Amino acid sequence: MLRKVQSYIEKHQLLLADRPVLLGVSGGTDSVVLLHILQALGYECIIAHCNFHLRMEESNRDEAFVRNLASRYCLKAYFVDFQTTEYAQQEKISIEMAARDLRYSWFADLLVQTGAQAIAVAHHADDSIETMLLNLIRGTGLKGITGIQPRNQQVVRPLLSCSRDEIEAYRRQHQLEYVEDSTNIQTDYRRNKIRHELLPLLEQINPSVRQTLDKRMHYFQGAYCLYNEHITQIAEKLSAVQSDGRVVIDIQGLLQQVDVATVLYELISPYGFNSSQLDDIVQALGSESGKTFYSETHRIVKDRASLIISAKADSKENLYIISQPDCTVRIPYPLRVSTLAVDASFVVSKSAEKIQLDAENILFPLTIRSWQEGDWFVPFGMKHRKKLSDFFIDLKLSIADKEKVQLLCSGDTILWVIGYRTDNRFRVQPQTSQVIQFEILH
């Protein structure tokens, strides 16, 4: 088994011989065996253990076991405590996701602190099979059925070539002590249901189903590489990342693809959208503008000729304060505010990006904020109020352009739809003696 693991490490270029490895050790069979194998192969190991405090005294027992293990091996070891349940509630995510986020974030910090070359974790072939089945059951693209990869950035998995039975046989052969996680036998978790119920049932149909699925995963990995290369080429033609981070997908080009749904799924899934939302988004391609779809982190807005993907805005509105004239603000973009006298040399600006307002009617502090439904102003040159939504329709602004609009306000009164039009009530008049000038800087 040592030769098998070393061969796998070399094949996938997972580890170098002359640099330390940070090893996640829970105290269970898999991580204990991985530690023993890497030690036997001559790698310098540093132990990292997380106490998630999810199993009462059992969690503390595991930590004590790993401390003793590190002492027996005379290895440097790091330990951390996480209040996982509280974190999950705060972030509104599952316990499993919370533990994963906390663990890998800490590992990344330790990697810098220790100078280790990689983070080694003890996933094996059976874990990869279970991941593939789990993804199939809940819905996935082709990537989801390729299983667990040997490397994910700085996380490496040297035991992926080994089955659970091989790892257990190795543990017995070398009489390695370990601790058992009592939740591993509970079928409340979907992964455990697959492990203890679904796979044994499949083995009744095909006794070598695990080997079959493992071979299929390797085939799928190769197919995915070819598939992904083609998808990347399509994505470069259909989508573009804007300077503000929004992703714009050309609907007409998308509709010309052989399989619209497949291409669309690959374009949107990196932003948290799943297969259950796909049909509704495909249906929206031919509908009127404005339909919106949400993932946990992003949203998609159907515009006239494109789908626009953007990060979810914070529900709390951002307000930027201009406390006094004769200053330069930097957010939401550079804006110079100046006081100017109206004399013989004064010329009223006609630029939409440099405007002047009658200083007598301006009351500081001013605010810059996003526009909201129901906002209105009196556009320059007009005498009657106009809703901003109607003003945008007249300008034929896209949804993306409308969402970027910012307003300069005094209290609840709009002075300037920034970059577009000022309010007529604050215009420079014949009797104006002083103006406040606002200029967008580039």
Side-chain angles (χ1 to χ4, degrees):
M1 189 162 161
L2 291 178
R3 286 196 298 269
K4 184 176 185 178
V5 173
Q6 183 59 39
S7 176
Y8 189 79
I9 290 172
E10 292 172 356
K11 177 182 177 181
H12 295 282
Q13 298 179 323
L14 300 183
L15 296 172
L16 301 172
D18 58 350
R19 293 183 59 193
V21 182
L22 186 64
L23 177 59
V25 179
S26 66
T29 295
D30 303 336
S31 62
V32 166
V33 166
L34 178 58
L35 174 61
H36 191 274
I37 288 176
L38 292 183
Q39 286 279 100
L41 291 173
Y43 291 98
E44 179 187 348
C45 295
I46 301 172
I47 288 177
H49 176 83
C50 306
N51 188 335
F52 295 105
H53 292 284
L54 293 173
R55 292 176 287 117
M56 314 238 348
E57 286 305 313
E58 199 173 276
S59 294
N60 295 329
R61 176 211 64 184
D62 293 355
E63 179 181 331
F65 173 84
V66 176
R67 288 184 182 276
N68 289 331
L69 187 67
S71 179
R72 288 204 305 273
Y73 279 108
C74 298
L75 295 178
K76 184 181 295 185
Y78 294 86
F79 297 84
V80 69
D81 292 274
F82 291 123
Q83 300 306 316
T84 314
T85 302
E86 289 82 348
Y87 178 82
Q89 293 171 347
Q90 174 186 329
E91 299 298 320
K92 298 180 180 178
I93 56 178
S94 68
I95 292 291
E96 294 90 337
M97 184 63 72
R100 185 186 183 283
D101 288 352
L102 291 168
R103 175 170 63 249
Y104 284 108
S105 176
W106 182 60
F107 283 168
D109 291 340
L110 271 185
L111 206 61
V112 175
Q113 181 180 341
T114 61
Q117 60 176 307
I119 305 156
V121 292
H123 293 122
H124 49 70
D126 288 70
D127 290 325
S128 192
I129 291 168
E130 292 161 9
T131 296
M132 180 190 72
L133 292 173
L134 188 61
N135 288 339
L136 272 175
I137 290 167
R138 65 188 178 193
T140 183
L142 182 57
K143 185 178 181 180
I145 59 174
T146 60
I148 300 174
Q149 304 305 304
R151 174 184 287 277
N152 182 4
Q153 296 180 342
Q154 292 173 302
V155 177
V156 298
R157 301 177 173 92
L159 292 184
L160 273 184
S161 61
C162 306
S163 69
R164 182 177 282 112
D165 287 345
E166 289 177 304
I167 291 170
E168 180 60 32
Y170 183 94
R171 184 196 64 77
R172 289 195 301 268
Q173 176 188 350
H174 294 275
Q175 299 180 338
L176 301 178
E177 295 181 4
Y178 72 103
V179 287
E180 184 69 61
D181 183 343
S182 61
T183 63
N184 284 339
I185 61 174
Q186 298 173 5
T187 55
D188 297 340
Y189 300 103
R190 284 179 293 183
R191 181 177 291 274
N192 285 351
K193 277 185 175 291
I194 290 172
R195 179 179 304 168
H196 300 300
E197 297 179 4
L198 178 58
L199 277 169
L201 181 61
L202 292 175
E203 285 176 319
Q204 293 177 24
I205 302 170
N206 176 6
S208 60
V209 69
R210 294 175 193 266
Q211 293 88 338
T212 301
L213 291 175
D214 189 52
K215 288 180 180 178
R216 290 300 91 191
M217 279 193 300
H218 291 294
Y219 169 78
F220 294 147
Q221 287 168 8
Y224 178 73
C225 289
L226 298 174
Y227 167 85
N228 192 52
E229 183 177 339
H230 184 57
I231 287 292
T232 300
Q233 293 172 357
I234 294 174
E236 289 175 352
K237 295 178 182 178
L238 297 184
S239 62
V241 180
Q242 306 298 301
S243 58
D244 59 1
R246 296 168 191 251
V247 177
V248 179
I249 300 173
D250 174 39
I251 291 177
Q252 191 59 41
L254 178 61
L255 292 174
Q256 292 174 2
Q257 300 304 309
V258 174
D259 190 329
V260 173
T262 297
V263 173
L264 180 59
Y265 177 80
E266 296 298 343
L267 293 178
I268 67 176
S269 59
Y271 304 99
F273 295 93
N274 55 50
S275 56
S276 64
Q277 299 170 284
L278 186 61
D279 288 344
D280 290 337
I281 299 174
V282 170
Q283 288 293 323
L285 296 177
S287 65
E288 62 185 28
S289 300
K291 286 202 171 183
T292 305
F293 305 89
Y294 294 92
S295 70
E296 288 189 2
T297 58
H298 287 75
R299 68 174 179 172
I300 293 176
V301 178
K302 195 276 177 181
D303 203 358
R304 294 182 182 89
S306 58
L307 294 176
I308 301 169
I309 304 175
S310 60
K312 277 185 181 178
D314 195 311
S315 59
K316 188 175 181 180
E317 182 188 36
N318 289 322
L319 286 177
Y320 306 102
I321 308 298
I322 302 176
S323 57
Q324 59 187 14
D326 302 311
C327 68
T328 299
V329 296
R330 298 294 175 188
I331 51 176
Y333 34 66
L335 186 70
R336 181 185 295 134
V337 185
S338 310
T339 304
L340 302 177
V342 178
D343 53 24
S345 63
F346 177 79
V347 177
V348 176
S349 170
K350 295 182 180 180
S351 170
E353 296 191 345
K354 183 169 72 173
I355 60 102
Q356 294 123 1
L357 304 177
D358 190 332
E360 187 176 343
N361 296 324
I362 305 297
L363 181 63
F364 284 85
L366 307 179
T367 58
I368 298 176
R369 66 170 175 84
S370 301
W371 79 281
Q372 302 169 351
E373 285 293 338
D375 279 336
W376 62 270
F377 76 133
V378 180
F380 182 81
M382 298 179 62
K383 295 182 179 180
H384 304 290
R385 66 169 63 181
K386 192 178 190 72
K387 285 187 177 180
L388 283 185
S389 55
D390 294 333
F391 177 68
F392 297 150
I393 290 173
D394 292 344
L395 293 178
K396 297 182 179 180
L397 293 188
S398 68
I399 291 173
D401 288 335
K402 285 191 290 186
E403 289 188 338
K404 290 187 280 188
V405 169
Q406 299 282 320
L407 308 177
L408 177 68
C409 302
S410 177
D412 295 328
T413 304
I414 297 171
L415 307 178
W416 180 25
V417 181
I418 300 178
Y420 292 97
R421 193 83 64 85
T422 58
D423 189 296
N424 194 62
R425 294 169 293 174
F426 301 91
R427 70 189 185 279
V428 178
Q429 302 187 62
Q431 68 272 24
T432 300
S433 60
Q434 192 175 62
V435 299
I436 306 295
Q437 177 173 284
F438 301 86
E439 181 180 5
I440 298 174
L441 304 177
H442 293 284

